[in-house]
Amino acid sequence: IYKWHYSGLNRWHGAGSTADFQKIIQERCDTYTQTIRPGSRSRNCQAIRQAFMSAFISKDPCKATKEDYNSLINLAPPTVPCGQQVFWSKTKELAHEYVKRQRLMTLEDTLLGYLADGLSWCGEPGSSDLNIWSCPDWKKDCRTNYLSVFWEVLSERFAESACNTVRVVLNGSLENAFDSMSIFGRVEAPNLRPQVELEAWLVHDTGKPPSDSCSGSSIRKLKSILDGRNVKFRCMDNLSRDQFLQRS
Ligand code: C8R
């Protein structure tokens, strides 16, 4: 039992692959290309599903590289029209509510972000199946797992394509609204191009005082990352969720 536990499919500490992963990818791809963005360049959903699978199937789930996802990302690069991009960190639901009311887009509004949102996936060497029992956890097993590397490369490409003014929605109810270890902090902010302008919105829970502000140390750290890249920065704080959604 000991040996089975540590060498078997159950040995990782993260959730296993989502049931019916392939079917969900195919269905979401069809929905996105036919209903959500029918105007967008026609995409071959079967090829996209196949490229997604071959990125990780039969591979060591702790040895993901950015290159594993090259062919998938080249089939559907995560670009959005200039000036419409919204980043977020610890504010996923709020950011999605915000973009719905504006003509703005998060990474989940691009095809690959939409396909993968909320799903989990990993394979196993010597097998052509997904491991539905467990997948590596970033902290407890390995950082170079397929789920983490996917969001990192996709987020990197999304940030690199930003132009004009872009926005980030940060959680003002946390002590550190900017977290330099988050994907926004370690991947997106450091990959914005010079001359882009980033507007940060610090939004706190309605009915509570904010826990961080534009003059706090976490935002100063964000500002220094951006200064180093010649990215312009503006910051708005002390907004409750309701105020933010109404005024913006
Ligand atoms: N981005 C990153 N992670 C994403 C994601 C996304 O669009 N969509 C999902 N579902 N995830 P967090 P962060 C999952 O700590 O680290 C982009 C991944 O499993 O609240 O700063 C997006 O463009 C990932 O590990 O935020 C956004 O701007 C967690 O959710 C940042 O990166 C990340 O949750 C957000 O990443």
Side-chain angles (χ1 to χ4, degrees), residues 86-92 95-96 105-109 113 116-119 121 138 147-148 150-152 154-156 158-159 167-170 179 181-188:
V86 176
F87 304 103
W88 51 267
S89 193
K90 278 87 193 170
T91 53
K92 182 176 171 189
H96 287 154
M105 294 167 89
T106 63
L107 186 52
E108 280 78 24
D109 297 299
D117 190 18
L119 303 183
W121 61 90
W138 193 78
L147 196 58
S148 304
F150 173 85
W151 287 113
E152 286 163 14
L154 201 64
S155 303
E156 182 179 320
F158 186 58
R167 301 148 193 83
V168 60
V169 185
L170 297 175
D179 170 6
M181 289 303 287
S182 66
I183 295 187
F184 173 70
R186 80 195 142 76
V187 178
E188 293 179 324

Tab-separated table of all heavy atoms in Angstrom, residues 86-92 95-96 105-109 113 116-119 121 138 147-148 150-152 154-156 158-159 167-170 179 181-188, ligand 1:
chain	number	residue	atom	x	y	z
A	86	VAL	N	-7.598	44.021	-19.219
A	86	VAL	CA	-7.733	44.118	-17.762
A	86	VAL	C	-7.004	42.950	-17.106
A	86	VAL	O	-7.274	41.782	-17.408
A	86	VAL	CB	-9.223	44.097	-17.333
A	86	VAL	CG1	-9.347	44.094	-15.809
A	86	VAL	CG2	-9.954	45.306	-17.914
A	87	PHE	N	-6.086	43.276	-16.206
A	87	PHE	CA	-5.417	42.278	-15.377
A	87	PHE	C	-6.086	42.268	-14.007
A	87	PHE	O	-6.800	43.211	-13.647
A	87	PHE	CB	-3.930	42.623	-15.215
A	87	PHE	CG	-3.197	42.762	-16.513
A	87	PHE	CD1	-2.880	44.015	-17.024
A	87	PHE	CD2	-2.830	41.638	-17.237
A	87	PHE	CE1	-2.201	44.149	-18.232
A	87	PHE	CE2	-2.157	41.758	-18.448
A	87	PHE	CZ	-1.845	43.018	-18.940
A	88	TRP	N	-5.829	41.232	-13.249
A	88	TRP	CA	-6.403	41.148	-11.894
A	88	TRP	C	-5.510	40.273	-11.036
A	88	TRP	O	-4.699	39.501	-11.562
A	88	TRP	CB	-7.827	40.579	-11.938
A	88	TRP	CG	-7.948	39.282	-12.705
A	88	TRP	CD1	-8.266	39.155	-14.022
A	88	TRP	CD2	-7.724	37.944	-12.212
A	88	TRP	NE1	-8.262	37.829	-14.387
A	88	TRP	CE2	-7.938	37.058	-13.296
A	88	TRP	CE3	-7.391	37.416	-10.969
A	88	TRP	CZ2	-7.816	35.673	-13.179
A	88	TRP	CZ3	-7.265	36.031	-10.847
A	88	TRP	CH2	-7.474	35.167	-11.957
A	89	SER	N	-5.647	40.410	-9.718
A	89	SER	CA	-4.956	39.521	-8.800
A	89	SER	C	-5.791	39.439	-7.526
A	89	SER	O	-6.084	40.465	-6.900
A	89	SER	CB	-3.553	40.065	-8.508
A	89	SER	OG	-2.771	39.097	-7.868
A	90	LYS	N	-6.217	38.243	-7.207
A	90	LYS	CA	-7.116	38.014	-6.052
A	90	LYS	C	-8.428	38.787	-6.171
A	90	LYS	O	-9.001	39.216	-5.164
A	90	LYS	CB	-6.412	38.370	-4.724
A	90	LYS	CG	-5.514	37.270	-4.186
A	90	LYS	CD	-4.136	37.368	-4.754
A	90	LYS	CE	-3.315	36.131	-4.482
A	90	LYS	NZ	-2.053	36.145	-5.237
A	91	THR	N	-8.875	39.008	-7.389
A	91	THR	CA	-10.136	39.728	-7.626
A	91	THR	C	-10.813	39.166	-8.876
A	91	THR	O	-11.463	39.911	-9.612
A	91	THR	CB	-9.877	41.233	-7.899
A	91	THR	OG1	-8.913	41.326	-8.964
A	91	THR	CG2	-9.379	41.977	-6.692
A	92	LYS	N	-10.678	37.868	-9.118
A	92	LYS	CA	-11.134	37.305	-10.379
A	92	LYS	C	-12.600	37.609	-10.675
A	92	LYS	O	-12.943	38.099	-11.750
A	92	LYS	CB	-10.910	35.797	-10.366
A	92	LYS	CG	-11.294	35.106	-11.641
A	92	LYS	CD	-10.947	33.641	-11.566
A	92	LYS	CE	-11.528	32.898	-12.737
A	92	LYS	NZ	-11.374	31.442	-12.574
A	95	ALA	N	-13.251	41.355	-11.314
A	95	ALA	CA	-12.709	41.795	-12.599
A	95	ALA	C	-13.619	41.337	-13.740
A	95	ALA	O	-13.850	42.086	-14.702
A	95	ALA	CB	-11.294	41.251	-12.792
A	96	HIS	N	-14.166	40.145	-13.627
A	96	HIS	CA	-15.052	39.656	-14.681
A	96	HIS	C	-16.364	40.434	-14.715
A	96	HIS	O	-16.897	40.727	-15.786
A	96	HIS	CB	-15.292	38.153	-14.524
A	96	HIS	CG	-14.089	37.347	-14.903
A	96	HIS	ND1	-13.812	36.096	-14.414
A	96	HIS	CD2	-13.047	37.628	-15.716
A	96	HIS	CE1	-12.672	35.662	-14.921
A	96	HIS	NE2	-12.190	36.578	-15.711
A	105	MET	N	-11.525	43.468	-21.694
A	105	MET	CA	-11.338	42.008	-21.721
A	105	MET	C	-10.265	41.524	-20.748
A	105	MET	O	-9.185	42.102	-20.668
A	105	MET	CB	-10.937	41.575	-23.133
A	105	MET	CG	-12.037	41.784	-24.163
A	105	MET	SD	-11.396	41.619	-25.837
A	105	MET	CE	-11.615	39.883	-26.075
A	106	THR	N	-10.556	40.441	-20.050
A	106	THR	CA	-9.539	39.742	-19.260
A	106	THR	C	-8.990	38.599	-20.117
A	106	THR	O	-9.481	38.348	-21.219
A	106	THR	CB	-10.137	39.128	-17.986
A	106	THR	OG1	-11.106	38.153	-18.383
A	106	THR	CG2	-10.801	40.179	-17.107
A	107	LEU	N	-8.023	37.891	-19.554
A	107	LEU	CA	-7.464	36.738	-20.270
A	107	LEU	C	-8.532	35.664	-20.541
A	107	LEU	O	-8.471	34.965	-21.547
A	107	LEU	CB	-6.301	36.152	-19.448
A	107	LEU	CG	-5.469	35.043	-20.056
A	107	LEU	CD1	-4.943	35.405	-21.438
A	107	LEU	CD2	-4.302	34.709	-19.130
A	108	GLU	N	-9.522	35.564	-19.656
A	108	GLU	CA	-10.601	34.570	-19.873
A	108	GLU	C	-11.515	34.943	-21.026
A	108	GLU	O	-12.363	34.159	-21.418
A	108	GLU	CB	-11.452	34.382	-18.617
A	108	GLU	CG	-10.839	33.479	-17.578
A	108	GLU	CD	-9.770	34.188	-16.794
A	108	GLU	OE1	-9.807	35.432	-16.727
A	108	GLU	OE2	-8.877	33.495	-16.273
A	109	ASP	N	-11.373	36.152	-21.549
A	109	ASP	CA	-12.147	36.541	-22.731
A	109	ASP	C	-11.419	36.221	-24.020
A	109	ASP	O	-11.941	36.456	-25.102
A	109	ASP	CB	-12.491	38.039	-22.674
A	109	ASP	CG	-13.377	38.341	-21.477
A	109	ASP	OD1	-14.487	37.784	-21.425
A	109	ASP	OD2	-12.941	39.088	-20.582
A	113	GLY	N	-7.773	31.310	-22.704
A	113	GLY	CA	-8.156	31.590	-21.320
A	113	GLY	C	-9.556	31.052	-21.039
A	113	GLY	O	-9.818	30.470	-19.982
A	116	ALA	N	-9.566	27.092	-20.727
A	116	ALA	CA	-8.918	26.443	-19.586
A	116	ALA	C	-9.448	26.899	-18.230
A	116	ALA	O	-9.138	26.280	-17.209
A	116	ALA	CB	-7.412	26.725	-19.648
A	117	ASP	N	-10.250	27.956	-18.214
A	117	ASP	CA	-10.680	28.539	-16.943
A	117	ASP	C	-11.330	27.493	-16.031
A	117	ASP	O	-12.292	26.845	-16.422
A	117	ASP	CB	-11.669	29.678	-17.220
A	117	ASP	CG	-11.966	30.494	-15.970
A	117	ASP	OD1	-11.186	30.414	-14.992
A	117	ASP	OD2	-12.983	31.218	-15.972
A	118	GLY	N	-10.781	27.342	-14.832
A	118	GLY	CA	-11.370	26.435	-13.841
A	118	GLY	C	-11.072	24.957	-14.042
A	118	GLY	O	-11.507	24.132	-13.237
A	119	LEU	N	-10.342	24.606	-15.091
A	119	LEU	CA	-10.057	23.186	-15.337
A	119	LEU	C	-8.700	22.791	-14.755
A	119	LEU	O	-7.871	23.635	-14.431
A	119	LEU	CB	-10.058	22.885	-16.843
A	119	LEU	CG	-11.322	23.229	-17.623
A	119	LEU	CD1	-11.170	22.801	-19.083
A	119	LEU	CD2	-12.561	22.576	-16.997
A	121	TRP	N	-5.526	19.655	-15.358
A	121	TRP	CA	-5.101	18.599	-16.276
A	121	TRP	C	-3.658	18.208	-15.997
A	121	TRP	O	-2.835	19.034	-15.615
A	121	TRP	CB	-5.248	19.048	-17.738
A	121	TRP	CG	-4.424	20.254	-18.090
A	121	TRP	CD1	-3.143	20.259	-18.569
A	121	TRP	CD2	-4.809	21.640	-17.973
A	121	TRP	NE1	-2.711	21.547	-18.763
A	121	TRP	CE2	-3.705	22.423	-18.394
A	121	TRP	CE3	-5.975	22.294	-17.532
A	121	TRP	CZ2	-3.740	23.820	-18.399
A	121	TRP	CZ3	-5.997	23.684	-17.533
A	121	TRP	CH2	-4.896	24.431	-17.972
A	138	TRP	N	1.449	23.233	-6.787
A	138	TRP	CA	2.556	24.189	-6.944
A	138	TRP	C	3.454	24.210	-5.714
A	138	TRP	O	4.676	24.190	-5.825
A	138	TRP	CB	1.968	25.584	-7.192
A	138	TRP	CG	2.931	26.619	-7.669
A	138	TRP	CD1	3.405	26.750	-8.943
A	138	TRP	CD2	3.526	27.678	-6.911
A	138	TRP	NE1	4.252	27.829	-9.014
A	138	TRP	CE2	4.350	28.418	-7.791
A	138	TRP	CE3	3.439	28.083	-5.573
A	138	TRP	CZ2	5.076	29.531	-7.382
A	138	TRP	CZ3	4.171	29.192	-5.169
A	138	TRP	CH2	4.983	29.903	-6.064
A	147	LEU	N	-0.328	22.932	-15.254
A	147	LEU	CA	-1.343	23.957	-15.031
A	147	LEU	C	-0.667	25.312	-14.782
A	147	LEU	O	-1.004	26.325	-15.400
A	147	LEU	CB	-2.179	23.533	-13.814
A	147	LEU	CG	-3.513	24.205	-13.593
A	147	LEU	CD1	-4.405	24.011	-14.804
A	147	LEU	CD2	-4.182	23.624	-12.345
A	148	SER	N	0.299	25.347	-13.873
A	148	SER	CA	0.981	26.612	-13.554
A	148	SER	C	1.710	27.173	-14.765
A	148	SER	O	1.612	28.371	-15.061
A	148	SER	CB	1.995	26.416	-12.420
A	148	SER	OG	1.358	25.881	-11.289
A	150	PHE	N	1.109	26.675	-17.861
A	150	PHE	CA	0.127	27.156	-18.846
A	150	PHE	C	-0.284	28.597	-18.541
A	150	PHE	O	-0.223	29.471	-19.408
A	150	PHE	CB	-1.123	26.258	-18.850
A	150	PHE	CG	-2.255	26.782	-19.709
A	150	PHE	CD1	-2.295	26.519	-21.069
A	150	PHE	CD2	-3.260	27.557	-19.147
A	150	PHE	CE1	-3.318	27.010	-21.860
A	150	PHE	CE2	-4.304	28.054	-19.940
A	150	PHE	CZ	-4.332	27.776	-21.299
A	151	TRP	N	-0.698	28.860	-17.276
A	151	TRP	CA	-1.159	30.221	-16.944
A	151	TRP	C	-0.008	31.208	-17.013
A	151	TRP	O	-0.193	32.364	-17.361
A	151	TRP	CB	-1.855	30.236	-15.575
A	151	TRP	CG	-3.197	29.582	-15.642
A	151	TRP	CD1	-3.586	28.416	-15.035
A	151	TRP	CD2	-4.342	30.025	-16.381
A	151	TRP	NE1	-4.890	28.113	-15.357
A	151	TRP	CE2	-5.381	29.078	-16.177
A	151	TRP	CE3	-4.595	31.123	-17.213
A	151	TRP	CZ2	-6.648	29.218	-16.775
A	151	TRP	CZ3	-5.853	31.249	-17.794
A	151	TRP	CH2	-6.865	30.298	-17.572
A	152	GLU	N	1.208	30.750	-16.711
A	152	GLU	CA	2.355	31.642	-16.802
A	152	GLU	C	2.653	32.053	-18.244
A	152	GLU	O	2.804	33.241	-18.531
A	152	GLU	CB	3.587	31.019	-16.143
A	152	GLU	CG	3.485	31.052	-14.627
A	152	GLU	CD	4.441	30.100	-13.946
A	152	GLU	OE1	5.367	29.590	-14.618
A	152	GLU	OE2	4.257	29.838	-12.749
A	154	LEU	N	0.674	31.856	-20.878
A	154	LEU	CA	-0.450	32.575	-21.475
A	154	LEU	C	-0.489	34.019	-20.945
A	154	LEU	O	-0.674	34.970	-21.717
A	154	LEU	CB	-1.757	31.845	-21.155
A	154	LEU	CG	-2.929	32.147	-22.080
A	154	LEU	CD1	-2.643	31.680	-23.501
A	154	LEU	CD2	-4.210	31.491	-21.562
A	155	SER	N	-0.268	34.172	-19.643
A	155	SER	CA	-0.276	35.507	-19.032
A	155	SER	C	0.883	36.355	-19.556
A	155	SER	O	0.740	37.564	-19.764
A	155	SER	CB	-0.180	35.401	-17.509
A	155	SER	OG	-1.235	34.623	-16.998
A	156	GLU	N	2.015	35.723	-19.779
A	156	GLU	CA	3.172	36.454	-20.311
A	156	GLU	C	2.864	37.011	-21.693
A	156	GLU	O	3.103	38.186	-21.985
A	156	GLU	CB	4.379	35.503	-20.355
A	156	GLU	CG	5.659	36.141	-20.839
A	156	GLU	CD	6.814	35.145	-20.832
A	156	GLU	OE1	6.922	34.343	-19.882
A	156	GLU	OE2	7.594	35.155	-21.800
A	158	PHE	N	-0.083	37.543	-22.961
A	158	PHE	CA	-1.171	38.523	-22.816
A	158	PHE	C	-0.583	39.882	-22.416
A	158	PHE	O	-0.929	40.909	-22.994
A	158	PHE	CB	-2.127	37.989	-21.750
A	158	PHE	CG	-3.394	38.768	-21.541
A	158	PHE	CD1	-4.286	38.997	-22.582
A	158	PHE	CD2	-3.738	39.233	-20.272
A	158	PHE	CE1	-5.472	39.680	-22.370
A	158	PHE	CE2	-4.920	39.909	-20.049
A	158	PHE	CZ	-5.789	40.134	-21.098
A	159	ALA	N	0.340	39.871	-21.460
A	159	ALA	CA	0.936	41.126	-20.981
A	159	ALA	C	1.815	41.764	-22.059
A	159	ALA	O	1.793	42.980	-22.250
A	159	ALA	CB	1.738	40.881	-19.713
A	167	ARG	N	-5.511	48.171	-17.400
A	167	ARG	CA	-5.926	48.299	-16.004
A	167	ARG	C	-5.647	47.031	-15.222
A	167	ARG	O	-5.668	45.945	-15.791
A	167	ARG	CB	-7.446	48.555	-15.949
A	167	ARG	CG	-7.865	49.788	-16.682
A	167	ARG	CD	-9.261	49.650	-17.277
A	167	ARG	NE	-9.517	50.741	-18.228
A	167	ARG	CZ	-9.104	50.710	-19.493
A	167	ARG	NH1	-8.485	49.657	-19.977
A	167	ARG	NH2	-9.328	51.738	-20.278
A	168	VAL	N	-5.447	47.200	-13.915
A	168	VAL	CA	-5.385	46.015	-13.059
A	168	VAL	C	-6.302	46.248	-11.867
A	168	VAL	O	-6.322	47.343	-11.292
A	168	VAL	CB	-3.939	45.682	-12.597
A	168	VAL	CG1	-3.293	46.793	-11.790
A	168	VAL	CG2	-3.937	44.364	-11.800
A	169	VAL	N	-7.112	45.240	-11.549
A	169	VAL	CA	-8.005	45.315	-10.399
A	169	VAL	C	-7.345	44.571	-9.245
A	169	VAL	O	-7.079	43.366	-9.350
A	169	VAL	CB	-9.379	44.671	-10.712
A	169	VAL	CG1	-10.334	44.863	-9.536
A	169	VAL	CG2	-9.968	45.235	-12.001
A	170	LEU	N	-7.041	45.293	-8.163
A	170	LEU	CA	-6.350	44.678	-7.024
A	170	LEU	C	-7.252	44.675	-5.798
A	170	LEU	O	-8.170	45.493	-5.678
A	170	LEU	CB	-5.043	45.428	-6.735
A	170	LEU	CG	-3.995	45.387	-7.855
A	170	LEU	CD1	-2.801	46.267	-7.519
A	170	LEU	CD2	-3.548	43.936	-8.118
A	179	ASP	N	0.959	41.547	-4.840
A	179	ASP	CA	1.731	40.396	-4.366
A	179	ASP	C	2.770	40.079	-5.441
A	179	ASP	O	2.427	39.649	-6.532
A	179	ASP	CB	0.762	39.225	-4.163
A	179	ASP	CG	1.460	37.903	-3.908
A	179	ASP	OD1	2.705	37.882	-3.773
A	179	ASP	OD2	0.744	36.879	-3.832
A	181	MET	N	4.677	37.711	-5.770
A	181	MET	CA	4.777	36.287	-6.112
A	181	MET	C	3.584	35.796	-6.938
A	181	MET	O	3.567	34.657	-7.388
A	181	MET	CB	4.884	35.444	-4.834
A	181	MET	CG	6.221	35.586	-4.130
A	181	MET	SD	7.580	35.152	-5.226
A	181	MET	CE	7.384	33.368	-5.279
A	182	SER	N	2.579	36.641	-7.122
A	182	SER	CA	1.409	36.231	-7.915
A	182	SER	C	1.779	36.244	-9.403
A	182	SER	O	2.835	36.758	-9.779
A	182	SER	CB	0.263	37.213	-7.671
A	182	SER	OG	0.624	38.491	-8.180
A	183	ILE	N	0.910	35.726	-10.243
A	183	ILE	CA	1.183	35.750	-11.688
A	183	ILE	C	1.180	37.194	-12.183
A	183	ILE	O	2.034	37.594	-12.969
A	183	ILE	CB	0.176	34.882	-12.468
A	183	ILE	CG1	0.368	33.417	-12.065
A	183	ILE	CG2	0.343	35.067	-13.977
A	183	ILE	CD1	-0.437	32.421	-12.859
A	184	PHE	N	0.259	38.004	-11.658
A	184	PHE	CA	0.304	39.410	-12.056
A	184	PHE	C	1.648	40.032	-11.655
A	184	PHE	O	2.276	40.739	-12.445
A	184	PHE	CB	-0.862	40.216	-11.436
A	184	PHE	CG	-0.720	41.678	-11.719
A	184	PHE	CD1	-0.892	42.171	-13.003
A	184	PHE	CD2	-0.326	42.564	-10.709
A	184	PHE	CE1	-0.687	43.510	-13.291
A	184	PHE	CE2	-0.125	43.904	-10.992
A	184	PHE	CZ	-0.304	44.381	-12.284
A	185	GLY	N	2.111	39.735	-10.455
A	185	GLY	CA	3.336	40.350	-9.939
A	185	GLY	C	4.611	39.841	-10.576
A	185	GLY	O	5.518	40.607	-10.897
A	186	ARG	N	4.680	38.518	-10.795
A	186	ARG	CA	5.955	38.013	-11.301
A	186	ARG	C	5.971	37.820	-12.807
A	186	ARG	O	7.052	37.759	-13.405
A	186	ARG	CB	6.390	36.771	-10.502
A	186	ARG	CG	5.843	35.491	-10.771
A	186	ARG	CD	6.123	34.480	-9.631
A	186	ARG	NE	4.943	33.668	-9.510
A	186	ARG	CZ	4.647	32.703	-10.362
A	186	ARG	NH1	5.483	32.373	-11.314
A	186	ARG	NH2	3.510	32.054	-10.246
A	187	VAL	N	4.817	37.774	-13.445
A	187	VAL	CA	4.805	37.526	-14.897
A	187	VAL	C	4.259	38.710	-15.706
A	187	VAL	O	4.877	39.108	-16.698
A	187	VAL	CB	3.978	36.251	-15.231
A	187	VAL	CG1	3.925	36.014	-16.732
A	187	VAL	CG2	4.541	35.038	-14.505
A	188	GLU	N	3.127	39.262	-15.291
A	188	GLU	CA	2.487	40.279	-16.146
A	188	GLU	C	3.129	41.655	-15.998
A	188	GLU	O	3.566	42.249	-16.995
A	188	GLU	CB	0.979	40.312	-15.879
A	188	GLU	CG	0.328	39.007	-16.337
A	188	GLU	CD	-1.157	38.909	-16.098
A	188	GLU	OE1	-1.654	39.416	-15.065
A	188	GLU	OE2	-1.851	38.300	-16.919
B	1	C8R	N1	-4.369	34.616	-14.979
B	1	C8R	C1	-3.671	33.862	-14.046
B	1	C8R	N2	-4.190	32.795	-13.438
B	1	C8R	C2	-5.436	32.371	-13.796
B	1	C8R	C3	-6.153	33.013	-14.810
B	1	C8R	C4	-5.608	34.167	-15.438
B	1	C8R	O1	-6.241	34.773	-16.312
B	1	C8R	N3	-7.358	32.403	-14.938
B	1	C8R	C5	-7.395	31.414	-14.035
B	1	C8R	N4	-8.453	30.596	-13.830
B	1	C8R	N5	-6.221	31.373	-13.329
B	1	C8R	P1	-4.623	34.845	-8.329
B	1	C8R	P2	-2.634	35.987	-10.053
B	1	C8R	C6	-5.973	30.503	-12.152
B	1	C8R	O2	-3.576	34.488	-7.320
B	1	C8R	O3	-1.672	34.922	-9.659
B	1	C8R	C7	-3.740	35.909	-15.395
B	1	C8R	C8	-4.576	29.891	-12.106
B	1	C8R	O4	-4.720	28.574	-11.593
B	1	C8R	O5	-5.863	35.506	-7.798
B	1	C8R	O6	-2.151	37.382	-9.825
B	1	C8R	C9	-4.715	37.084	-15.530
B	1	C8R	O7	-4.412	37.798	-16.725
B	1	C8R	C10	-3.781	30.752	-11.153
B	1	C8R	O8	-2.835	30.036	-10.384
B	1	C8R	O9	-4.036	35.854	-9.375
B	1	C8R	C11	-4.522	37.947	-14.289
B	1	C8R	O10	-4.189	39.295	-14.577
B	1	C8R	C12	-4.820	31.422	-10.250
B	1	C8R	O11	-6.070	31.344	-10.987
B	1	C8R	C13	-3.384	37.295	-13.501
B	1	C8R	O12	-2.808	36.326	-14.368
B	1	C8R	C14	-4.359	32.858	-10.055
B	1	C8R	O13	-5.119	33.546	-9.125
B	1	C8R	C15	-3.929	36.641	-12.238
B	1	C8R	O14	-2.998	35.813	-11.603
